Amino acid sequence: MKENKSQKNIAESIKQWVRPEIRALSAYHVPPAADYVKLDAMENPYHWPEAMVDEWLGLVKEIELNRYPDPSASALKDSLRKSMSVPDGADILLGNGSDELIQMMLMALARKDSKGQAQTVLSVEPSFVMYDMVATYTGMNYVSVPLNDDFSLDVNAFLKAIEQHTPAMIFIAYPNNPTGNLFERTDLQKIIDAAPGVIVIDEAYHAFADDRFKNEAGQVDNLLVMRTVSKMGLAGLRLGLLAGKSEWLNEFDKVRLPYNLNVLTQVTAQFALKHQAILDEQTAQICQTREKLISELSKIKSLQVYPSQANFILFRTEKNRATTIFESLKTSGVLIKNLSPAGGALADCLRVTVGMPDENDIFLDALKQALQ
Ligand SMILES: *Cc1c(COP(=O)(O)O)cnc(C)c1O
């Protein structure tokens, strides 16, 4: 009896005190993955050579965990600047993953416009879910422009949306997640020219793609380029980077928590970037393996496979089959991402991360079995 009463009181309290838009959200769900062939999260499947691990452990031994980390992470910034050849005119800001950079930017931009309305964050649909989530919980107005049926960008609709909503922020993932494609560069150029506020080109998958906007960072006033080391093989470190004009970055830096990059991340990332050749080799291997996986998937008549410039592949099953196939793969011990519940353009779609060759073979076998 007592318990029920207390539960009721908590529910009432939550209703009274928690922001309604937060109550309406569901927390970002990450399924447990122990013992699965894990092909759901765009991770690099490869490990470091043993000698490299030993060298790293030597560095870790020297770390003083009793001290706060360098609040500006300046040594790490220097390594990243070199490793990603950030243009001279661009400053850089680091985040605990690029997710945190999205949060910092939108916290700084979440003001009301002159009519007292929440300002708009504009992107495309489907795209990376964090843009919508963070816009919502920072109290901003999120608007997305549907992609064409082949997941290309409808540039005219996008330009119209810019005119209609005067967005404070535009996010374009290039390549896009979860579709895997690059948009037309000339279309993005038009959007950059028309952007009234800031535009972020999110290059989380730059290592797997043929094109990038990185060299424009710091050259165009309102263009920021965002990157992460997560998809390059360092997802566990949580490290993202924003490059662009220092005037913008200085504002966003004000909402950064002082020690957002812990000492283990700073030391380890610097070490890993010193051995970038290893990461680059792994990336090249993933790109090669991707082509093989695309070609194998394309042989399966009942699937529609989309081209990919990222380390994952999106494919569409026959109508209303995606969830059954996803569950069957799971029973076979293979975890991929079921996008079908999101509905809309993603109905019947599944997304698989490119794994090691033997993992991809296990996936393909399980998939063929699921399709029988
Ligand atoms: C994975 C991903 C990110 C997030 O990267 P983290 O640095 O791990 O937070 C950002 N943008 C896109 C498009 C992604 O797919």
Short mmCIF file of all heavy atoms in Angstrom, two decimals, residues 23-73:
data_model
loop_
_atom_site.label_atom_id
_atom_site.label_comp_id
_atom_site.label_asym_id
_atom_site.label_seq_id
_atom_site.Cartn_x
_atom_site.Cartn_y
_atom_site.Cartn_z
N ARG A 23 9.78 14.75 -20.52
CA ARG A 23 8.93 13.60 -20.16
C ARG A 23 8.50 12.85 -21.42
O ARG A 23 8.37 11.64 -21.42
CB ARG A 23 7.70 14.07 -19.37
CG ARG A 23 8.04 14.31 -17.90
CD ARG A 23 6.78 14.59 -17.09
NE ARG A 23 6.37 15.99 -17.20
CZ ARG A 23 5.16 16.40 -17.55
NH1 ARG A 23 4.21 15.53 -17.84
NH2 ARG A 23 4.90 17.68 -17.60
N ALA A 24 8.33 13.57 -22.53
CA ALA A 24 7.87 12.95 -23.76
C ALA A 24 8.97 12.16 -24.46
O ALA A 24 8.71 11.32 -25.31
CB ALA A 24 7.31 14.01 -24.70
N LEU A 25 10.23 12.42 -24.11
CA LEU A 25 11.35 11.72 -24.76
C LEU A 25 11.52 10.32 -24.19
O LEU A 25 11.19 10.07 -23.04
CB LEU A 25 12.67 12.47 -24.49
CG LEU A 25 13.02 13.73 -25.27
CD1 LEU A 25 14.35 14.27 -24.73
CD2 LEU A 25 13.16 13.43 -26.75
N SER A 26 12.08 9.41 -25.01
CA SER A 26 12.58 8.19 -24.40
C SER A 26 14.10 8.23 -24.50
O SER A 26 14.65 8.73 -25.48
CB SER A 26 12.01 6.95 -25.08
OG SER A 26 11.94 7.14 -26.47
N ALA A 27 14.77 7.75 -23.47
CA ALA A 27 16.23 7.83 -23.42
C ALA A 27 16.83 7.03 -24.58
O ALA A 27 16.24 6.03 -25.02
CB ALA A 27 16.75 7.30 -22.09
N TYR A 28 17.97 7.47 -25.08
CA TYR A 28 18.66 6.78 -26.17
C TYR A 28 18.99 5.37 -25.73
O TYR A 28 19.67 5.16 -24.73
CB TYR A 28 19.94 7.55 -26.54
CG TYR A 28 20.60 7.03 -27.80
CD1 TYR A 28 20.15 7.41 -29.05
CD2 TYR A 28 21.67 6.16 -27.72
CE1 TYR A 28 20.75 6.93 -30.20
CE2 TYR A 28 22.28 5.66 -28.87
CZ TYR A 28 21.81 6.06 -30.10
OH TYR A 28 22.41 5.59 -31.24
N HIS A 29 18.46 4.40 -26.45
CA HIS A 29 18.56 3.01 -26.00
C HIS A 29 19.71 2.29 -26.71
O HIS A 29 19.76 2.26 -27.93
CB HIS A 29 17.23 2.30 -26.30
CG HIS A 29 17.26 0.84 -26.01
ND1 HIS A 29 17.40 0.35 -24.73
CD2 HIS A 29 17.19 -0.23 -26.82
CE1 HIS A 29 17.41 -0.98 -24.78
NE2 HIS A 29 17.29 -1.35 -26.04
N VAL A 30 20.61 1.74 -25.93
CA VAL A 30 21.68 0.92 -26.50
C VAL A 30 21.47 -0.52 -26.03
O VAL A 30 21.51 -0.80 -24.84
CB VAL A 30 23.07 1.43 -26.03
CG1 VAL A 30 24.17 0.56 -26.62
CG2 VAL A 30 23.28 2.88 -26.45
N PRO A 31 21.18 -1.43 -26.96
CA PRO A 31 20.88 -2.81 -26.55
C PRO A 31 22.13 -3.52 -26.02
O PRO A 31 23.23 -3.23 -26.48
CB PRO A 31 20.40 -3.48 -27.84
CG PRO A 31 21.01 -2.67 -28.94
CD PRO A 31 21.17 -1.27 -28.42
N PRO A 32 21.97 -4.42 -25.05
CA PRO A 32 23.12 -5.17 -24.55
C PRO A 32 23.68 -6.04 -25.68
O PRO A 32 22.91 -6.59 -26.48
CB PRO A 32 22.54 -6.04 -23.43
CG PRO A 32 21.06 -6.05 -23.65
CD PRO A 32 20.71 -4.82 -24.42
N ALA A 33 25.02 -6.13 -25.78
CA ALA A 33 25.60 -6.77 -26.95
C ALA A 33 26.57 -7.89 -26.61
O ALA A 33 27.21 -8.45 -27.50
CB ALA A 33 26.29 -5.72 -27.81
N ALA A 34 26.67 -8.24 -25.33
CA ALA A 34 27.64 -9.26 -24.94
C ALA A 34 27.37 -10.54 -25.74
O ALA A 34 26.21 -10.93 -25.92
CB ALA A 34 27.53 -9.53 -23.45
N ASP A 35 28.42 -11.17 -26.20
CA ASP A 35 28.37 -12.46 -26.90
C ASP A 35 27.80 -12.39 -28.32
O ASP A 35 27.69 -13.41 -28.98
CB ASP A 35 27.59 -13.52 -26.10
CG ASP A 35 28.18 -13.73 -24.72
OD1 ASP A 35 29.41 -13.56 -24.60
OD2 ASP A 35 27.43 -14.02 -23.77
N TYR A 36 27.41 -11.25 -28.79
CA TYR A 36 26.94 -11.15 -30.17
C TYR A 36 28.11 -10.83 -31.11
O TYR A 36 29.10 -10.23 -30.70
CB TYR A 36 25.92 -10.02 -30.33
CG TYR A 36 24.54 -10.35 -29.81
CD1 TYR A 36 24.08 -9.78 -28.63
CD2 TYR A 36 23.70 -11.21 -30.51
CE1 TYR A 36 22.80 -10.07 -28.15
CE2 TYR A 36 22.43 -11.49 -30.04
CZ TYR A 36 21.99 -10.93 -28.86
OH TYR A 36 20.74 -11.21 -28.40
N VAL A 37 27.98 -11.21 -32.38
CA VAL A 37 28.80 -10.62 -33.42
C VAL A 37 28.21 -9.22 -33.60
O VAL A 37 27.09 -9.06 -34.05
CB VAL A 37 28.70 -11.42 -34.74
CG1 VAL A 37 29.46 -10.71 -35.85
CG2 VAL A 37 29.24 -12.82 -34.54
N LYS A 38 28.97 -8.20 -33.16
CA LYS A 38 28.39 -6.88 -32.95
C LYS A 38 28.58 -6.01 -34.19
O LYS A 38 29.66 -5.48 -34.42
CB LYS A 38 29.04 -6.24 -31.73
CG LYS A 38 28.31 -5.03 -31.21
CD LYS A 38 28.94 -4.54 -29.91
CE LYS A 38 28.23 -3.33 -29.34
NZ LYS A 38 27.95 -2.27 -30.30
N LEU A 39 27.53 -5.89 -34.97
CA LEU A 39 27.59 -5.12 -36.22
C LEU A 39 26.48 -4.07 -36.22
O LEU A 39 25.81 -3.85 -37.23
CB LEU A 39 27.44 -6.06 -37.42
CG LEU A 39 28.47 -7.20 -37.53
CD1 LEU A 39 28.14 -8.12 -38.71
CD2 LEU A 39 29.89 -6.64 -37.70
N ASP A 40 26.31 -3.41 -35.07
CA ASP A 40 25.18 -2.48 -34.95
C ASP A 40 25.59 -1.03 -34.72
O ASP A 40 24.74 -0.14 -34.77
CB ASP A 40 24.25 -2.91 -33.80
CG ASP A 40 24.92 -2.79 -32.44
OD1 ASP A 40 26.16 -2.95 -32.38
OD2 ASP A 40 24.22 -2.54 -31.45
N ALA A 41 26.85 -0.77 -34.44
CA ALA A 41 27.18 0.57 -33.91
C ALA A 41 28.33 1.27 -34.64
O ALA A 41 28.91 2.21 -34.09
CB ALA A 41 27.49 0.48 -32.42
N MET A 42 28.63 0.86 -35.86
CA MET A 42 29.66 1.53 -36.66
C MET A 42 31.03 1.57 -35.98
O MET A 42 31.80 2.51 -36.18
CB MET A 42 29.23 2.96 -37.03
CG MET A 42 28.25 3.00 -38.16
SD MET A 42 26.59 2.65 -37.65
CE MET A 42 26.00 4.29 -37.29
N GLU A 43 31.30 0.55 -35.17
CA GLU A 43 32.63 0.49 -34.56
C GLU A 43 33.63 -0.13 -35.52
O GLU A 43 33.26 -0.93 -36.39
CB GLU A 43 32.56 -0.36 -33.27
CG GLU A 43 31.79 0.33 -32.17
CD GLU A 43 31.06 -0.66 -31.28
OE1 GLU A 43 30.63 -1.72 -31.77
OE2 GLU A 43 30.89 -0.36 -30.09
N ASN A 44 34.90 0.27 -35.36
CA ASN A 44 35.99 -0.39 -36.07
C ASN A 44 36.24 -1.72 -35.34
O ASN A 44 36.43 -1.73 -34.13
CB ASN A 44 37.20 0.55 -36.01
CG ASN A 44 38.51 -0.08 -36.48
OD1 ASN A 44 38.66 -1.30 -36.48
ND2 ASN A 44 39.45 0.76 -36.86
N PRO A 45 36.23 -2.86 -36.04
CA PRO A 45 36.33 -4.15 -35.35
C PRO A 45 37.77 -4.55 -35.00
O PRO A 45 37.97 -5.53 -34.30
CB PRO A 45 35.74 -5.13 -36.37
CG PRO A 45 36.07 -4.52 -37.69
CD PRO A 45 36.02 -3.02 -37.50
N TYR A 46 38.74 -3.81 -35.51
CA TYR A 46 40.12 -4.27 -35.40
C TYR A 46 40.80 -3.79 -34.11
O TYR A 46 40.46 -2.74 -33.57
CB TYR A 46 40.94 -3.81 -36.60
CG TYR A 46 40.44 -4.41 -37.90
CD1 TYR A 46 39.64 -3.69 -38.76
CD2 TYR A 46 40.74 -5.73 -38.22
CE1 TYR A 46 39.16 -4.25 -39.94
CE2 TYR A 46 40.26 -6.31 -39.39
CZ TYR A 46 39.47 -5.55 -40.24
OH TYR A 46 38.98 -6.12 -41.39
N HIS A 47 41.76 -4.58 -33.65
CA HIS A 47 42.51 -4.22 -32.44
C HIS A 47 43.89 -3.71 -32.81
O HIS A 47 44.31 -3.79 -33.95
CB HIS A 47 42.63 -5.44 -31.52
CG HIS A 47 41.30 -5.91 -31.03
ND1 HIS A 47 40.61 -5.28 -30.03
CD2 HIS A 47 40.50 -6.94 -31.43
CE1 HIS A 47 39.45 -5.90 -29.82
NE2 HIS A 47 39.37 -6.90 -30.66
N TRP A 48 44.62 -3.22 -31.81
CA TRP A 48 45.98 -2.77 -32.04
C TRP A 48 46.95 -3.95 -31.97
O TRP A 48 46.70 -4.92 -31.24
CB TRP A 48 46.40 -1.77 -30.95
CG TRP A 48 45.68 -0.47 -30.99
CD1 TRP A 48 44.84 -0.02 -31.97
CD2 TRP A 48 45.73 0.55 -29.98
NE1 TRP A 48 44.37 1.24 -31.63
CE2 TRP A 48 44.90 1.61 -30.43
CE3 TRP A 48 46.40 0.69 -28.76
CZ2 TRP A 48 44.71 2.78 -29.69
CZ3 TRP A 48 46.21 1.85 -28.03
CH2 TRP A 48 45.38 2.89 -28.49
N PRO A 49 48.07 -3.85 -32.69
CA PRO A 49 49.11 -4.88 -32.54
C PRO A 49 49.60 -4.90 -31.09
O PRO A 49 49.59 -3.87 -30.40
CB PRO A 49 50.24 -4.40 -33.46
CG PRO A 49 49.64 -3.34 -34.33
CD PRO A 49 48.43 -2.81 -33.65
N GLU A 50 50.04 -6.08 -30.66
CA GLU A 50 50.40 -6.27 -29.24
C GLU A 50 51.49 -5.30 -28.78
O GLU A 50 51.43 -4.75 -27.68
CB GLU A 50 50.84 -7.71 -29.03
CG GLU A 50 50.55 -8.20 -27.63
CD GLU A 50 50.87 -9.69 -27.49
OE1 GLU A 50 50.32 -10.48 -28.29
OE2 GLU A 50 51.70 -10.03 -26.62
N ALA A 51 52.48 -5.06 -29.65
CA ALA A 51 53.59 -4.17 -29.26
C ALA A 51 53.06 -2.75 -29.00
O ALA A 51 53.55 -2.04 -28.11
CB ALA A 51 54.64 -4.14 -30.36
N MET A 52 52.06 -2.36 -29.78
CA MET A 52 51.48 -1.03 -29.61
C MET A 52 50.71 -0.95 -28.28
O MET A 52 50.78 0.05 -27.56
CB MET A 52 50.56 -0.74 -30.80
CG MET A 52 50.07 0.69 -30.88
SD MET A 52 49.22 0.94 -32.46
CE MET A 52 48.07 2.22 -32.01
N VAL A 53 50.01 -2.00 -27.96
CA VAL A 53 49.28 -2.05 -26.68
C VAL A 53 50.27 -1.94 -25.52
O VAL A 53 50.06 -1.19 -24.57
CB VAL A 53 48.45 -3.35 -26.56
CG1 VAL A 53 47.83 -3.47 -25.17
CG2 VAL A 53 47.37 -3.40 -27.63
N ASP A 54 51.40 -2.65 -25.63
CA ASP A 54 52.41 -2.60 -24.55
C ASP A 54 52.98 -1.20 -24.40
O ASP A 54 53.14 -0.71 -23.28
CB ASP A 54 53.55 -3.59 -24.84
CG ASP A 54 53.09 -5.03 -24.64
OD1 ASP A 54 52.07 -5.24 -23.95
OD2 ASP A 54 53.74 -5.95 -25.18
N GLU A 55 53.25 -0.55 -25.52
CA GLU A 55 53.79 0.81 -25.47
C GLU A 55 52.79 1.76 -24.80
O GLU A 55 53.14 2.60 -23.97
CB GLU A 55 54.11 1.28 -26.90
CG GLU A 55 54.98 2.52 -26.96
CD GLU A 55 55.11 3.06 -28.40
OE1 GLU A 55 54.97 2.28 -29.36
OE2 GLU A 55 55.33 4.28 -28.52
N TRP A 56 51.52 1.56 -25.15
CA TRP A 56 50.45 2.40 -24.58
C TRP A 56 50.34 2.18 -23.07
O TRP A 56 50.21 3.13 -22.29
CB TRP A 56 49.14 2.06 -25.29
CG TRP A 56 47.91 2.64 -24.67
CD1 TRP A 56 47.60 3.95 -24.51
CD2 TRP A 56 46.82 1.90 -24.11
NE1 TRP A 56 46.37 4.09 -23.90
CE2 TRP A 56 45.88 2.84 -23.64
CE3 TRP A 56 46.53 0.54 -23.96
CZ2 TRP A 56 44.67 2.45 -23.03
CZ3 TRP A 56 45.34 0.16 -23.37
CH2 TRP A 56 44.43 1.11 -22.91
N LEU A 57 50.43 0.90 -22.65
CA LEU A 57 50.32 0.61 -21.22
C LEU A 57 51.44 1.30 -20.43
O LEU A 57 51.22 1.75 -19.31
CB LEU A 57 50.36 -0.91 -20.98
CG LEU A 57 49.09 -1.65 -21.38
CD1 LEU A 57 49.27 -3.15 -21.24
CD2 LEU A 57 47.89 -1.17 -20.57
N GLY A 58 52.61 1.40 -21.05
CA GLY A 58 53.71 2.11 -20.42
C GLY A 58 53.35 3.57 -20.15
O GLY A 58 53.67 4.13 -19.09
N LEU A 59 52.66 4.19 -21.09
CA LEU A 59 52.24 5.59 -20.91
C LEU A 59 51.16 5.71 -19.84
O LEU A 59 51.17 6.63 -19.02
CB LEU A 59 51.66 6.12 -22.23
CG LEU A 59 52.63 6.47 -23.35
CD1 LEU A 59 51.85 6.90 -24.58
CD2 LEU A 59 53.57 7.58 -22.90
N VAL A 60 50.24 4.75 -19.86
CA VAL A 60 49.13 4.79 -18.90
C VAL A 60 49.67 4.71 -17.47
O VAL A 60 49.16 5.35 -16.56
CB VAL A 60 48.13 3.63 -19.19
CG1 VAL A 60 47.10 3.49 -18.07
CG2 VAL A 60 47.42 3.89 -20.52
N LYS A 61 50.76 3.95 -17.31
CA LYS A 61 51.36 3.78 -15.97
C LYS A 61 51.82 5.11 -15.39
O LYS A 61 51.84 5.31 -14.19
CB LYS A 61 52.55 2.82 -16.08
CG LYS A 61 52.40 1.59 -15.21
CD LYS A 61 53.71 0.83 -15.07
CE LYS A 61 54.05 0.08 -16.34
NZ LYS A 61 55.23 -0.78 -16.21
N GLU A 62 52.20 6.03 -16.26
CA GLU A 62 52.74 7.32 -15.81
C GLU A 62 51.65 8.35 -15.49
O GLU A 62 51.94 9.42 -14.97
CB GLU A 62 53.64 7.92 -16.91
CG GLU A 62 54.78 7.02 -17.35
CD GLU A 62 55.76 6.77 -16.21
OE1 GLU A 62 56.09 7.72 -15.48
OE2 GLU A 62 56.18 5.60 -16.04
N ILE A 63 50.43 8.06 -15.85
CA ILE A 63 49.37 9.06 -15.69
C ILE A 63 49.08 9.33 -14.21
O ILE A 63 48.99 8.40 -13.42
CB ILE A 63 48.06 8.58 -16.39
CG1 ILE A 63 48.25 8.57 -17.90
CG2 ILE A 63 46.88 9.46 -16.02
CD1 ILE A 63 47.08 8.03 -18.67
N GLU A 64 48.95 10.59 -13.87
CA GLU A 64 48.63 10.95 -12.49
C GLU A 64 47.13 11.16 -12.36
O GLU A 64 46.60 12.23 -12.64
CB GLU A 64 49.38 12.22 -12.09
CG GLU A 64 50.88 12.02 -12.04
CD GLU A 64 51.62 13.26 -11.54
OE1 GLU A 64 50.99 14.12 -10.88
OE2 GLU A 64 52.81 13.36 -11.82
N LEU A 65 46.46 10.11 -11.89
CA LEU A 65 45.00 10.17 -11.82
C LEU A 65 44.50 11.10 -10.73
O LEU A 65 43.32 11.47 -10.71
CB LEU A 65 44.43 8.76 -11.60
CG LEU A 65 44.52 7.82 -12.80
CD1 LEU A 65 44.05 6.42 -12.42
CD2 LEU A 65 43.72 8.33 -13.99
N ASN A 66 45.39 11.47 -9.81
CA ASN A 66 44.98 12.39 -8.73
C ASN A 66 44.89 13.84 -9.20
O ASN A 66 44.35 14.69 -8.51
CB ASN A 66 45.94 12.27 -7.55
CG ASN A 66 47.39 12.51 -7.96
OD1 ASN A 66 47.81 12.06 -9.04
ND2 ASN A 66 48.15 13.21 -7.15
N ARG A 67 45.44 14.11 -10.38
CA ARG A 67 45.43 15.49 -10.90
C ARG A 67 44.33 15.67 -11.94
O ARG A 67 44.03 14.75 -12.69
CB ARG A 67 46.77 15.80 -11.59
CG ARG A 67 47.99 15.61 -10.74
CD ARG A 67 48.09 16.68 -9.68
NE ARG A 67 49.25 16.43 -8.82
CZ ARG A 67 49.40 16.97 -7.61
NH1 ARG A 67 48.47 17.78 -7.12
NH2 ARG A 67 50.46 16.70 -6.88
N TYR A 68 43.79 16.87 -12.00
CA TYR A 68 42.85 17.21 -13.08
C TYR A 68 43.58 17.16 -14.42
O TYR A 68 44.78 17.45 -14.49
CB TYR A 68 42.30 18.62 -12.87
CG TYR A 68 41.19 18.70 -11.85
CD1 TYR A 68 41.42 19.24 -10.59
CD2 TYR A 68 39.91 18.24 -12.15
CE1 TYR A 68 40.40 19.31 -9.64
CE2 TYR A 68 38.89 18.33 -11.23
CZ TYR A 68 39.14 18.85 -9.97
OH TYR A 68 38.13 18.93 -9.05
N PRO A 69 42.83 16.84 -15.48
CA PRO A 69 43.46 16.86 -16.81
C PRO A 69 43.73 18.29 -17.28
O PRO A 69 43.19 19.24 -16.71
CB PRO A 69 42.42 16.20 -17.72
CG PRO A 69 41.12 16.34 -17.00
CD PRO A 69 41.42 16.40 -15.53
N ASP A 70 44.55 18.45 -18.31
CA ASP A 70 44.75 19.76 -18.93
C ASP A 70 43.39 20.26 -19.43
O ASP A 70 42.79 19.65 -20.32
CB ASP A 70 45.74 19.61 -20.10
CG ASP A 70 45.87 20.90 -20.92
OD1 ASP A 70 45.21 21.90 -20.56
OD2 ASP A 70 46.62 20.89 -21.90
N PRO A 71 42.88 21.36 -18.88
CA PRO A 71 41.52 21.79 -19.23
C PRO A 71 41.38 22.19 -20.70
O PRO A 71 40.29 22.10 -21.27
CB PRO A 71 41.26 23.00 -18.32
CG PRO A 71 42.61 23.44 -17.85
CD PRO A 71 43.51 22.25 -17.89
N SER A 72 42.47 22.61 -21.34
CA SER A 72 42.35 23.00 -22.74
C SER A 72 42.86 21.91 -23.68
O SER A 72 42.77 22.05 -24.90
CB SER A 72 43.09 24.32 -22.99
OG SER A 72 44.43 24.16 -22.63
N ALA A 73 43.37 20.82 -23.12
CA ALA A 73 43.86 19.68 -23.92
C ALA A 73 44.74 20.15 -25.07
O ALA A 73 44.58 19.69 -26.21
CB ALA A 73 42.68 18.85 -24.42
#
